[in-house]
Amino acid sequence: MSLNTPNAELFYIYDSHCPWSYASAVLVEKVLSAFPNITLRAMHIGYYDGDNKVSATTLADVGEFSQVVFGANYLDTLNYTKDSTLAANLMAWVQNKSAKSAFELLTKLQHAHFVLGNELTDQESVSEIIDELKLSPPAKCLQSNKLTKDAEFAIHDIIEVQEIIGTQAIPAMLLACNESLVLLNHNLYLENPEAIIEAVNIELENLS
C-alpha cells in the first residue's frame, strides 16, 4: 500500500472533554503521521453540556487501557460538571476555516484540559492557545452559553454518520475511501497505538 491516498478520509467523532477521546487522539496522530495524505474530518459531538461529570472509574479504565496521563490539576476537577460547548464551537469553526490546524488545536485543548486542569469554558482559558496557533476565531466561537450554527451543523452531520454505522458510541474512528466506509475499533489499539498503522494499511488495501 502506497502512502499516496489522496481520496482517503479519517472521520473522528469525539468530545474534547471525553477521557476516551483524549486517549484515542493518540491513535489519530499515529494515522495522520503514517498517512500524511489522509484528510482528517474532526467532528465534535458536544456531549458535555454542563450537566454531566467524568467519573473516577472512567479515568481508571482509560488509564488501564491507554498510555495517556491525567494531571493532578485535572483530577482535582472531577467534582465539577464538564462543559465542552466553547470547545465545540471553536473546533467547528477551525474545521471549516482552517482544517489543517484542527488536530493541532484539539491536542492543545486536550492537554490544557486533561493535564493542566483548564476547564476551557471562557475566552481567557483558550486565548493563549489561539494566539500560539495564530488563529482568529469570531467572538461567537468563544462563548459557552450556546452552540454556534457551525457546531450544530457538525452535530447534525455526526448523527447522520452514526445512523450509517449503527452506533452512537464516542469516540469513533471511521476510514473512508472510494465511497466505502469502515469503522475502526479504536479499543483494539489503545494499549499499543502503533498497531493502528498496520490496521489502516490493511483497510486501505481492502477499500482500494
Side-chain angles (χ1 to χ4, degrees):
M1 226 305 284
S2 168
L3 294 187
N4 295 318
T5 51
N7 59 339
E9 297 178 305
L10 180 67
F11 289 82
Y12 178 48
I13 301 174
Y14 68 97
D15 189 292
S16 56
H17 288 47
C18 165
W20 287 111
S21 295
Y22 173 46
S24 65
V26 176
L27 304 179
V28 175
E29 190 278 327
K30 294 295 182 184
V31 173
L32 297 180
S33 294
F35 304 91
N37 290 321
I38 286 182
T39 299
L40 175 66
R41 304 294 183 192
M43 309 174 79
H44 196 302
I45 187 64
Y47 173 78
Y48 288 94
D49 59 3
D51 291 331
N52 34 16
K53 299 179 180 180
V54 173
S55 70
T57 301
T58 296
L59 291 194
D61 290 342
V62 174
E64 180 179 357
F65 294 106
S66 76
Q67 302 173 13
V68 295
V69 175
F70 296 98
N73 288 341
Y74 174 73
L75 297 176
D76 288 340
T77 71
L78 288 186
N79 289 329
Y80 306 143
T81 55
K82 305 301 176 186
D83 190 340
S84 64
T85 304
L86 186 151
N89 291 338
L90 187 56
M91 289 303 304
W93 172 81
V94 79
Q95 183 65 37
N96 288 339
K97 300 298 184 182
S98 182
K100 60 180 174 42
S101 301
F103 188 66
E104 186 177 10
L105 174 58
L106 175 60
T107 56
K108 288 185 179 298
L109 291 175
Q110 288 177 325
H111 178 81
H113 184 62
F114 291 107
V115 178
L116 304 180
N118 185 332
E119 290 293 282
L120 306 175
T121 54
D122 56 37
Q123 181 172 347
E124 184 179 356
S125 66
V126 297
S127 60
E128 186 174 327
I129 294 172
I130 291 171
D131 291 344
E132 182 181 352
L133 296 180
K134 296 180 172 57
L135 300 175
S136 301
K140 64 182 179 180
C141 292
L142 303 176
Q143 59 185 7
S144 61
N145 59 324
K146 71 176 202 174
L147 292 169
T148 62
K149 290 296 184 183
D150 283 346
E152 290 179 345
F153 288 147
I155 292 173
H156 177 74
D157 289 343
I158 290 172
I159 293 172
E160 291 186 345
V161 172
Q162 288 176 329
E163 290 177 352
I164 294 172
I165 62 178
T167 178
Q168 295 182 344
I170 60 167
M173 297 174 62
L174 305 99
L175 191 64
C177 187
N178 295 331
E179 299 185 355
S180 296
L181 189 69
V182 62
L183 180 65
L184 298 170
N185 187 350
H186 63 279
N187 292 320
L188 298 177
Y189 314 108
L190 290 175
E191 292 184 88
N192 180 21
E194 293 288 340
I196 197 171
I197 296 173
E198 180 58 25
V200 170
N201 201 3
I202 291 171
E203 294 295 350
L204 286 174
E205 288 181 343
N206 293 336
L207 294 174
S208 296

